[in-house]
Amino acid sequence: MSKIVTKENTMKDTDIKRLLYTHLLCIFSIILSIFIPSVFLENFSILETHLTWLCICSVFVTAVNLVLYLVVKPNVSSKRSSLSHKVTRVLKCCIYFLMSCFSFHVIFVLYGAPLIELVLETFLFAVLLSTFTTVPCLCLLGPNLKAWLRVFSRNGVTSIWENSLQITTISSFVGAWLGAFPIPLDWERPWQVWPISCTLGATFGYVAGLVISPLWIYWNRKQLTYKNN
Amino acid sequence: MPYTTYLVEKGASHSFVAEAKPPTVTMPRIKALMTGSLPGFVDVIRNLNSPALLEDSVIRQAKAAGKRVIFYGDETWVKLFPKHFVEYDGTTSFFVSDYTEVDDNVTRHLDTVLKRGDWDMLILHYLGLDHIGHISGPSSPLIGRKLSEMDSVLMKIHTSLLSKERETLSPSLLVLCGDHGMSETGSHGASSTEEVSTPLILISSAFERRPGDIRHPKRVQQTDLAATLAIGLGLPIPKDSVGSLLFPVVEGKPVREQLRFLHLNTVQLSRLLRENVPSYEKDPGFEQFKMAERLHGNWVKLYLEESRSDVLLSLGTKVLRQYLGALKTLSLSLSTQVAQYDSYSMAVGTVVVLEVLTLLLLSTPQALCRRADLEVPMRSPVFSLLFYLVVLVLSAIHVIVCTSTTSSCYLCSLPWLVAGGLMVLVSALLCAIVSTLTRTLIEGTLLRKKAAFPSFSRWSEMDLLLLLGTAGHVLSLGASSFVEEEHQTWYFLVNTLCLALSQETCRICFPGGDGKPQQHAHVLQDRAAYKAPMLHRADHASPPSEALGGPAQWAVLVSPWLVLACCRLLRSLNQTGVQGAHRPDLGLWLTSSDHKVELSGLAALSLLMIFLLVQRGCSLVSRAALALGLLGVFCYRAAIGNVLFPWQPGNKGFSKGIIEARFVYVFVLGILFTGTKDLLKSQVIAADFKIKIVGLWEIYSGLVLLAALLLRPHNLPVLAFSLLIQTVMTKFIWKPLRHEAAEITVMHYWFGQAFFYFQGNSNNIATIDISAGFVGLDTYMEIPATFLTVFGTYAGPVLWASHLVHFLSSEASSGPALSQACFCYALICSVPVATYLILVTSLRYHLFIWSVFSPKLLYEGMHLLITAALCALFTAADQHSRTRPSERWTLGTDGS
């Protein structure tokens, strides 16, 4: 009995370590997206050429997520691996991503974002938020809505990967939500303009989630037991 | 205005742009013009009912000097200066929809008075332009006509003055000024540039002007006029004036007189400074004044010795410059420092507020548990000794404070009986708090011994959101920008609430996880991080997932999104606040005269929707009354020219719509009466539950009808959507999801606040729609007009609260839901007010205290009054009689 427990614990520790490294890579990609473009592009700064940064940051984070998914492969669920199956899967993922972008856009407009002006800004913010939330979900869970629902309901988490996914997603949402607070203040700062404070908030929230989740899982590793494995 | 323009550009005149300090409403502005002092914000309330002015003013000085003053125009002057005018004819300023008669009333006296010449000072206050602004805004075609009328009046006065001067040889002075400006919407009261800038033109043949002398109007303060007038008339400058002499006016005089005038003004200002500032000797203005006085003495000596003119001249200009600098600094330091605070009264007010709040908070767990009993232990014999001791101590403090202070004190000026009552109240509350505290502590220790800690585990994400949202809103009141943009806070909170609700509906509709999770993933942000730590708790709190059929389930799923969409539409109807107020909105588009047809269609559609949504709960009679009433509303709007009938597309003459409006009032009263009758019947019989519900709904629909009459036609969609949201939420959210009474109360409060802002209100005096106070009234009657204005302004919160009463009493016949809700409502309204009061007290030297915080305080005070009235309604609807929790708006005035 105790043997099994120790084995489980060591497995968990290695898993947590891997989680930590992947998360550090993600944070690194965000930092890169801030510094690399200034080498190639003139006049690049996060605040002034915000849209460019949004694009670059989403691309970087997506790429890192995909690469990590291909390298680490946290879940080895897909047994069938016919080509057509893979292609439909990828297509489905793309459609889901686009859908999430559009629905985020709708939610922003409902929250009071201007309907006609600044459409591009709003949409790119939606893309960024989808990158932080939907892309990891797609990588980890695939286009499988049942699995999504399971992960985001109260007791449905089955691995530390899903647990960290939950934490990062929620913290990016909360970051974006909190990011809207300074907009009405009259400080007249450049970052108070829609949607910069929200994108920055979402980014900070995502990074915070990436940092917090391995730590949190590490602290609570005694209490965490997962049903399936 | 060709004649005025000619005078300004070519004539013997001096023109200025006088800056009015907020609040830019008539009464404080007249005070500022005549006394030169800075009136406070309490004067906004007194604007409606002005008591006589006790301070020193130009008019009082003129009367003391035996001058004969005649006044025609706004009645406020007559109330402010009773017995000061040898002849007057006041016009009520409050009947805003009339803009010709008010001015004719002034002009008709003009010919005889100008011919007579048995007066020294004539004051005319024309109201028409302001009224046009209130009715139809600054871009109205009526404005041009009114301005040319005013121009002809000015020309008449000026020519007659000129002809008179030829006989008497003493020059006369014609002052043309405005008391306040007009904002872009045609209103006033706040502090935008348009409202604050007023013209000030002084015309007199005594002013010399060479041809080709082009002057640009300087920016001066409105308070400068009092000092200038007093000096010009040879009167003493009013005691409390903080203004400085408009120097260009006396420029034509010999240097000696100029210096004397300046000396008079600086002496008066420095005396005022000495009275108000303890360390006045260190003030730079005072030092400059001393310096200037010394130089002046040297100059006079030289002048008497008749020394060389160029030395005299150079020294004279030096003295002049010194005096002007001293005047400027003195005036500035006075206007920043004169605001006095009555700290003793404020402290007592804060103590009472804090005590009531603590009492409410302490009894929260008791009131929200199942039994919901709120009993305040007032007559506990154990604390009687404490009670008497506290009363004694407080009275002693009161006597000491009142005998020792020199400045005026509100509490000390109260009669002894009232002050004593206040002391008794304070100490009784203190005793009640102490006894409640001990009881809670005893019960708490008992509970802990039983090792039952059910407190936090029961809290759902919704509770947390509601609690945190309310707390966040309360905290945000400390920042002036958040007060200015409070609507954003409420819209944000309501949206988040809707998303949280949608997440909840998803969780309930797909308990196992099949179906449509796309939304689900997105709305998680609200329950957010609180969920993560709850991963492995053993309790499988199974949601109340009842067997919802297919379409019903979809309706439940979609309804939060419908509410969200409605809120988004309403948000773009009225842009409000400070940053967004200038942006184009749908409301402005609709009210412009080109889009009358669209407005008529929209209004008709909204009225139809209101009828469809409201009629379902009414009895047959009141249903008919409602239909007729809503028809009457449209007729009223057509009569006063806001909307068009399809068969009368052209513009015809507009009336005041008295008959139509009174027609609607009859139905409103009828419906309210039927509702009250039903309610009373159910109280007496105490059995028929259904009658009570119908009665409550009828009262609610009566209020809806009244709101439909009072709201401007472009705001009728707000009312319709509010009813729609109420219906949708009731049917698809609150009933199936079975929220607790406290949660539903908080949600109602949030929606009520959001609708307050959807209506176009803001925390700014200028957005109050005072035209609502004149619907169906022939003349200005104070009580009905005030009531109607207040109801029109607070229609959103009131309607949501009355809906809450109906919903809870129809839903939970079992027990204390309604009294819980009443308690909750009182608590949630009073927490922000109490916190705000303390915040404002601590921020009273803030830069924006007058422009941002004080208007908000007025709004909050009014809101608290309304809450008290609503709690009375709750209590009336509740069969068990209960004590009304809080009435402490008496303190609203203390803070300001």
Side-chain angles (χ1 to χ4, degrees), chain B residues 340-385:
Chain B
Q340 289 176 16
Y341 293 100
D342 178 2
S343 41
Y344 173 56
S345 313
M346 274 157 69
V348 173
T350 316
V351 166
V352 177
V353 168
L354 278 182
E355 281 180 350
V356 177
L357 186 71
T358 330
L359 204 57
L360 278 178
L361 284 177
L362 277 178
S363 42
T364 311
Q366 204 193 352
L368 289 190
C369 72
R370 265 143 253 110
R371 291 196 312 106
D373 277 338
L374 176 71
E375 49 180 281
V376 179
M378 277 297 182
R379 287 186 302 268
S380 180
V382 185
F383 295 100
S384 55
L385 185 62

Short mmCIF file of all heavy atoms in Angstrom, two decimals, chain B residues 340-385:
data_model
loop_
_atom_site.label_atom_id
_atom_site.label_comp_id
_atom_site.label_asym_id
_atom_site.label_seq_id
_atom_site.Cartn_x
_atom_site.Cartn_y
_atom_site.Cartn_z
N GLN B 340 -16.39 77.29 5.65
CA GLN B 340 -16.26 76.90 7.06
C GLN B 340 -17.04 75.63 7.30
O GLN B 340 -18.07 75.40 6.70
CB GLN B 340 -16.86 77.97 7.96
CG GLN B 340 -16.08 79.22 8.01
CD GLN B 340 -16.80 80.24 8.86
OE1 GLN B 340 -17.70 79.90 9.60
NE2 GLN B 340 -16.41 81.47 8.71
N TYR B 341 -16.52 74.83 8.16
CA TYR B 341 -17.24 73.61 8.48
C TYR B 341 -17.61 73.61 9.94
O TYR B 341 -16.81 74.01 10.79
CB TYR B 341 -16.41 72.38 8.14
CG TYR B 341 -16.20 72.25 6.67
CD1 TYR B 341 -15.03 72.66 6.08
CD2 TYR B 341 -17.22 71.76 5.88
CE1 TYR B 341 -14.86 72.57 4.72
CE2 TYR B 341 -17.06 71.66 4.52
CZ TYR B 341 -15.88 72.06 3.95
OH TYR B 341 -15.73 71.97 2.60
N ASP B 342 -18.80 73.15 10.17
CA ASP B 342 -19.33 73.12 11.51
C ASP B 342 -18.98 71.75 12.08
O ASP B 342 -19.75 70.81 11.98
CB ASP B 342 -20.83 73.35 11.37
CG ASP B 342 -21.52 73.29 12.70
OD1 ASP B 342 -20.83 73.11 13.71
OD2 ASP B 342 -22.75 73.43 12.70
N SER B 343 -17.78 71.64 12.62
CA SER B 343 -17.27 70.28 12.89
C SER B 343 -18.01 69.60 14.03
O SER B 343 -18.16 68.39 14.04
CB SER B 343 -15.78 70.33 13.17
OG SER B 343 -15.47 71.41 13.97
N TYR B 344 -18.54 70.36 14.96
CA TYR B 344 -19.25 69.72 16.06
C TYR B 344 -20.51 69.02 15.56
O TYR B 344 -20.75 67.84 15.82
CB TYR B 344 -19.58 70.77 17.12
CG TYR B 344 -20.45 70.26 18.23
CD1 TYR B 344 -20.05 69.16 18.97
CD2 TYR B 344 -21.66 70.87 18.52
CE1 TYR B 344 -20.84 68.68 19.99
CE2 TYR B 344 -22.45 70.39 19.54
CZ TYR B 344 -22.04 69.29 20.27
OH TYR B 344 -22.84 68.81 21.27
N SER B 345 -21.32 69.76 14.78
CA SER B 345 -22.54 69.14 14.26
C SER B 345 -22.21 67.95 13.38
O SER B 345 -22.89 66.91 13.41
CB SER B 345 -23.33 70.15 13.45
OG SER B 345 -23.43 71.36 14.13
N MET B 346 -21.14 68.10 12.59
CA MET B 346 -20.77 67.00 11.70
C MET B 346 -20.36 65.79 12.51
O MET B 346 -20.71 64.66 12.16
CB MET B 346 -19.63 67.44 10.78
CG MET B 346 -20.16 68.13 9.54
SD MET B 346 -18.96 69.18 8.79
CE MET B 346 -17.80 68.05 8.18
N ALA B 347 -19.64 66.02 13.61
CA ALA B 347 -19.21 64.88 14.42
C ALA B 347 -20.43 64.18 15.02
O ALA B 347 -20.52 62.94 14.98
CB ALA B 347 -18.28 65.36 15.53
N VAL B 348 -21.38 64.95 15.53
CA VAL B 348 -22.56 64.33 16.12
C VAL B 348 -23.32 63.53 15.06
O VAL B 348 -23.73 62.38 15.29
CB VAL B 348 -23.47 65.42 16.74
CG1 VAL B 348 -24.78 64.80 17.20
CG2 VAL B 348 -22.77 66.05 17.90
N GLY B 349 -23.48 64.13 13.86
CA GLY B 349 -24.17 63.43 12.78
C GLY B 349 -23.48 62.13 12.44
O GLY B 349 -24.12 61.07 12.31
N THR B 350 -22.16 62.18 12.33
CA THR B 350 -21.42 60.97 11.98
C THR B 350 -21.59 59.91 13.05
O THR B 350 -21.74 58.72 12.74
CB THR B 350 -19.93 61.31 11.80
OG1 THR B 350 -19.84 62.50 11.06
CG2 THR B 350 -19.22 60.21 11.09
N VAL B 351 -21.58 60.33 14.31
CA VAL B 351 -21.74 59.36 15.39
C VAL B 351 -23.09 58.66 15.28
O VAL B 351 -23.17 57.43 15.37
CB VAL B 351 -21.58 60.06 16.75
CG1 VAL B 351 -22.08 59.17 17.87
CG2 VAL B 351 -20.14 60.41 16.98
N VAL B 352 -24.14 59.43 15.05
CA VAL B 352 -25.46 58.81 14.94
C VAL B 352 -25.49 57.83 13.78
O VAL B 352 -25.96 56.68 13.91
CB VAL B 352 -26.55 59.88 14.78
CG1 VAL B 352 -27.90 59.22 14.59
CG2 VAL B 352 -26.58 60.77 15.99
N VAL B 353 -24.97 58.25 12.63
CA VAL B 353 -24.96 57.38 11.46
C VAL B 353 -24.21 56.09 11.75
O VAL B 353 -24.69 54.99 11.46
CB VAL B 353 -24.34 58.11 10.26
CG1 VAL B 353 -24.08 57.14 9.14
CG2 VAL B 353 -25.25 59.19 9.78
N LEU B 354 -23.04 56.24 12.36
CA LEU B 354 -22.23 55.06 12.65
C LEU B 354 -22.96 54.13 13.61
O LEU B 354 -22.91 52.91 13.46
CB LEU B 354 -20.90 55.48 13.23
CG LEU B 354 -19.87 55.89 12.20
CD1 LEU B 354 -18.58 56.24 12.88
CD2 LEU B 354 -19.64 54.74 11.24
N GLU B 355 -23.64 54.72 14.58
CA GLU B 355 -24.33 53.88 15.55
C GLU B 355 -25.44 53.08 14.89
O GLU B 355 -25.58 51.87 15.11
CB GLU B 355 -24.89 54.75 16.67
CG GLU B 355 -23.82 55.13 17.67
CD GLU B 355 -24.37 55.99 18.78
OE1 GLU B 355 -25.53 56.45 18.66
OE2 GLU B 355 -23.65 56.21 19.74
N VAL B 356 -26.22 53.76 14.06
CA VAL B 356 -27.32 53.04 13.40
C VAL B 356 -26.75 51.95 12.50
O VAL B 356 -27.25 50.82 12.46
CB VAL B 356 -28.20 54.01 12.59
CG1 VAL B 356 -29.27 53.25 11.85
CG2 VAL B 356 -28.82 55.02 13.50
N LEU B 357 -25.68 52.27 11.80
CA LEU B 357 -25.08 51.29 10.89
C LEU B 357 -24.57 50.08 11.66
O LEU B 357 -24.78 48.93 11.26
CB LEU B 357 -23.95 51.95 10.11
CG LEU B 357 -23.37 51.06 9.02
CD1 LEU B 357 -24.36 50.94 7.91
CD2 LEU B 357 -22.07 51.61 8.51
N THR B 358 -23.90 50.34 12.78
CA THR B 358 -23.39 49.22 13.58
C THR B 358 -24.54 48.36 14.06
O THR B 358 -24.46 47.12 14.04
CB THR B 358 -22.62 49.74 14.80
OG1 THR B 358 -22.05 50.98 14.47
CG2 THR B 358 -21.56 48.78 15.21
N LEU B 359 -25.61 49.02 14.47
CA LEU B 359 -26.78 48.28 14.95
C LEU B 359 -27.30 47.37 13.84
O LEU B 359 -27.58 46.18 14.06
CB LEU B 359 -27.84 49.27 15.38
CG LEU B 359 -28.85 48.78 16.40
CD1 LEU B 359 -28.12 48.29 17.62
CD2 LEU B 359 -29.79 49.90 16.75
N LEU B 360 -27.42 47.95 12.65
CA LEU B 360 -27.93 47.17 11.51
C LEU B 360 -27.01 45.99 11.22
O LEU B 360 -27.46 44.87 11.03
CB LEU B 360 -28.04 48.05 10.27
CG LEU B 360 -29.29 48.91 10.17
CD1 LEU B 360 -29.22 49.74 8.92
CD2 LEU B 360 -30.51 48.03 10.12
N LEU B 361 -25.71 46.29 11.19
CA LEU B 361 -24.76 45.23 10.83
C LEU B 361 -24.75 44.13 11.89
O LEU B 361 -24.66 42.95 11.57
CB LEU B 361 -23.36 45.82 10.68
CG LEU B 361 -23.13 46.59 9.40
CD1 LEU B 361 -21.74 47.19 9.41
CD2 LEU B 361 -23.28 45.68 8.20
N LEU B 362 -24.86 44.56 13.15
CA LEU B 362 -24.81 43.56 14.21
C LEU B 362 -26.03 42.65 14.16
O LEU B 362 -25.94 41.46 14.48
CB LEU B 362 -24.76 44.26 15.56
CG LEU B 362 -23.39 44.73 16.01
CD1 LEU B 362 -23.50 45.43 17.33
CD2 LEU B 362 -22.46 43.55 16.12
N SER B 363 -27.14 43.19 13.75
CA SER B 363 -28.33 42.36 13.74
C SER B 363 -28.50 41.62 12.42
O SER B 363 -29.50 40.96 12.21
CB SER B 363 -29.56 43.20 14.05
OG SER B 363 -29.49 44.41 13.37
N THR B 364 -27.51 41.72 11.52
CA THR B 364 -27.63 41.04 10.24
C THR B 364 -27.80 39.53 10.39
O THR B 364 -28.75 38.97 9.83
CB THR B 364 -26.40 41.32 9.35
OG1 THR B 364 -26.17 42.69 9.33
CG2 THR B 364 -26.61 40.80 7.96
N PRO B 365 -26.92 38.85 11.10
CA PRO B 365 -27.08 37.39 11.13
C PRO B 365 -28.42 36.98 11.71
O PRO B 365 -29.05 36.05 11.21
CB PRO B 365 -25.94 36.93 12.04
CG PRO B 365 -25.25 38.11 12.50
CD PRO B 365 -25.81 39.31 11.89
N GLN B 366 -28.86 37.76 12.68
CA GLN B 366 -30.13 37.44 13.30
C GLN B 366 -31.28 37.65 12.32
O GLN B 366 -32.21 36.83 12.23
CB GLN B 366 -30.30 38.34 14.51
CG GLN B 366 -31.22 37.79 15.54
CD GLN B 366 -31.56 38.88 16.53
OE1 GLN B 366 -31.00 39.97 16.48
NE2 GLN B 366 -32.47 38.57 17.41
N ALA B 367 -31.22 38.74 11.59
CA ALA B 367 -32.34 39.06 10.71
C ALA B 367 -32.38 38.16 9.50
O ALA B 367 -33.44 37.95 8.92
CB ALA B 367 -32.26 40.51 10.27
N LEU B 368 -31.25 37.65 9.08
CA LEU B 368 -31.24 36.86 7.86
C LEU B 368 -31.37 35.36 8.14
O LEU B 368 -31.43 34.57 7.21
CB LEU B 368 -29.97 37.12 7.06
CG LEU B 368 -29.92 38.49 6.41
CD1 LEU B 368 -28.76 38.57 5.46
CD2 LEU B 368 -31.20 38.80 5.68
N CYS B 369 -31.38 34.97 9.39
CA CYS B 369 -31.60 33.55 9.63
C CYS B 369 -33.07 33.26 9.46
O CYS B 369 -33.87 34.12 9.11
CB CYS B 369 -31.09 33.16 11.01
SG CYS B 369 -32.11 33.79 12.32
N ARG B 370 -33.47 32.09 9.72
CA ARG B 370 -34.79 31.65 9.30
C ARG B 370 -35.91 32.48 9.92
O ARG B 370 -36.90 32.76 9.30
CB ARG B 370 -34.95 30.17 9.65
CG ARG B 370 -34.63 29.25 8.52
CD ARG B 370 -33.95 28.00 9.00
NE ARG B 370 -32.53 27.99 8.65
CZ ARG B 370 -31.55 28.12 9.53
NH1 ARG B 370 -31.81 28.26 10.80
NH2 ARG B 370 -30.30 28.12 9.14
N ARG B 371 -35.75 32.86 11.17
CA ARG B 371 -36.89 33.49 11.80
C ARG B 371 -37.03 34.96 11.42
O ARG B 371 -38.12 35.48 11.36
CB ARG B 371 -36.77 33.38 13.32
CG ARG B 371 -36.95 31.94 13.79
CD ARG B 371 -37.22 31.85 15.27
NE ARG B 371 -36.30 32.62 16.09
CZ ARG B 371 -36.63 33.75 16.70
NH1 ARG B 371 -37.83 34.22 16.53
NH2 ARG B 371 -35.77 34.38 17.43
N ALA B 372 -35.92 35.55 11.14
CA ALA B 372 -35.93 36.94 10.68
C ALA B 372 -36.62 37.87 11.64
O ALA B 372 -37.54 38.59 11.30
CB ALA B 372 -36.57 37.05 9.31
N ASP B 373 -36.21 37.83 12.86
CA ASP B 373 -36.76 38.77 13.83
C ASP B 373 -35.74 39.88 14.04
O ASP B 373 -34.58 39.61 14.29
CB ASP B 373 -37.02 38.07 15.16
CG ASP B 373 -38.35 37.36 15.14
OD1 ASP B 373 -39.19 37.75 14.31
OD2 ASP B 373 -38.53 36.42 15.91
N LEU B 374 -36.22 41.06 13.95
CA LEU B 374 -35.33 42.18 14.22
C LEU B 374 -35.91 42.94 15.39
O LEU B 374 -36.85 43.69 15.24
CB LEU B 374 -35.21 43.08 13.00
CG LEU B 374 -34.36 44.32 13.25
CD1 LEU B 374 -32.92 43.94 13.39
CD2 LEU B 374 -34.54 45.29 12.12
N GLU B 375 -35.42 42.70 16.54
CA GLU B 375 -35.90 43.48 17.66
C GLU B 375 -34.72 44.22 18.26
O GLU B 375 -33.66 43.64 18.51
CB GLU B 375 -36.57 42.60 18.70
CG GLU B 375 -35.78 41.37 19.10
CD GLU B 375 -36.53 40.57 20.12
OE1 GLU B 375 -36.49 40.99 21.29
OE2 GLU B 375 -37.12 39.54 19.78
N VAL B 376 -34.94 45.49 18.42
CA VAL B 376 -33.87 46.32 18.95
C VAL B 376 -34.10 46.47 20.44
O VAL B 376 -35.13 46.97 20.87
CB VAL B 376 -33.86 47.69 18.25
CG1 VAL B 376 -32.76 48.54 18.83
CG2 VAL B 376 -33.67 47.49 16.77
N PRO B 377 -33.17 46.03 21.23
CA PRO B 377 -33.38 46.06 22.67
C PRO B 377 -33.21 47.46 23.22
O PRO B 377 -32.12 47.88 23.58
CB PRO B 377 -32.31 45.11 23.21
CG PRO B 377 -31.26 45.12 22.18
CD PRO B 377 -31.89 45.42 20.88
N MET B 378 -34.30 48.19 23.27
CA MET B 378 -34.23 49.59 23.67
C MET B 378 -34.39 49.76 25.17
O MET B 378 -33.88 50.70 25.75
CB MET B 378 -35.33 50.38 22.96
CG MET B 378 -34.97 50.82 21.57
SD MET B 378 -33.59 51.93 21.58
CE MET B 378 -33.42 52.30 19.86
N ARG B 379 -35.14 48.89 25.79
CA ARG B 379 -35.48 49.16 27.19
C ARG B 379 -34.82 48.15 28.11
O ARG B 379 -35.42 47.60 29.00
CB ARG B 379 -36.99 49.09 27.35
CG ARG B 379 -37.70 50.28 26.74
CD ARG B 379 -39.15 50.21 27.07
NE ARG B 379 -39.74 48.97 26.58
CZ ARG B 379 -40.31 48.86 25.39
NH1 ARG B 379 -40.37 49.89 24.60
NH2 ARG B 379 -40.83 47.72 25.01
N SER B 380 -33.60 47.90 27.85
CA SER B 380 -32.94 46.93 28.69
C SER B 380 -32.54 47.59 30.00
O SER B 380 -31.83 48.59 30.01
CB SER B 380 -31.70 46.40 27.97
OG SER B 380 -31.06 45.46 28.77
N PRO B 381 -33.01 47.08 31.13
CA PRO B 381 -32.78 47.77 32.40
C PRO B 381 -31.31 47.77 32.82
O PRO B 381 -30.87 48.67 33.54
CB PRO B 381 -33.64 46.98 33.39
CG PRO B 381 -33.81 45.65 32.77
CD PRO B 381 -33.79 45.85 31.30
N VAL B 382 -30.58 46.79 32.33
CA VAL B 382 -29.18 46.70 32.74
C VAL B 382 -28.41 47.93 32.28
O VAL B 382 -27.52 48.42 32.95
CB VAL B 382 -28.54 45.43 32.17
CG1 VAL B 382 -27.14 45.26 32.70
CG2 VAL B 382 -29.39 44.22 32.50
N PHE B 383 -28.84 48.42 31.14
CA PHE B 383 -28.06 49.50 30.57
C PHE B 383 -28.62 50.87 30.91
O PHE B 383 -28.20 51.85 30.37
CB PHE B 383 -27.98 49.32 29.07
CG PHE B 383 -27.22 48.10 28.71
CD1 PHE B 383 -27.88 46.94 28.35
CD2 PHE B 383 -25.84 48.08 28.79
CE1 PHE B 383 -27.17 45.81 28.05
CE2 PHE B 383 -25.14 46.94 28.49
CZ PHE B 383 -25.81 45.80 28.12
N SER B 384 -29.59 50.90 31.76
CA SER B 384 -30.20 52.19 32.04
C SER B 384 -29.19 53.13 32.71
O SER B 384 -29.16 54.32 32.41
CB SER B 384 -31.41 52.01 32.94
OG SER B 384 -31.02 51.32 34.11
N LEU B 385 -28.38 52.57 33.57
CA LEU B 385 -27.39 53.42 34.23
C LEU B 385 -26.43 54.01 33.20
O LEU B 385 -26.18 55.22 33.16
CB LEU B 385 -26.62 52.58 35.24
CG LEU B 385 -25.63 53.38 36.09
CD1 LEU B 385 -26.37 54.42 36.90
CD2 LEU B 385 -24.84 52.46 36.97
#
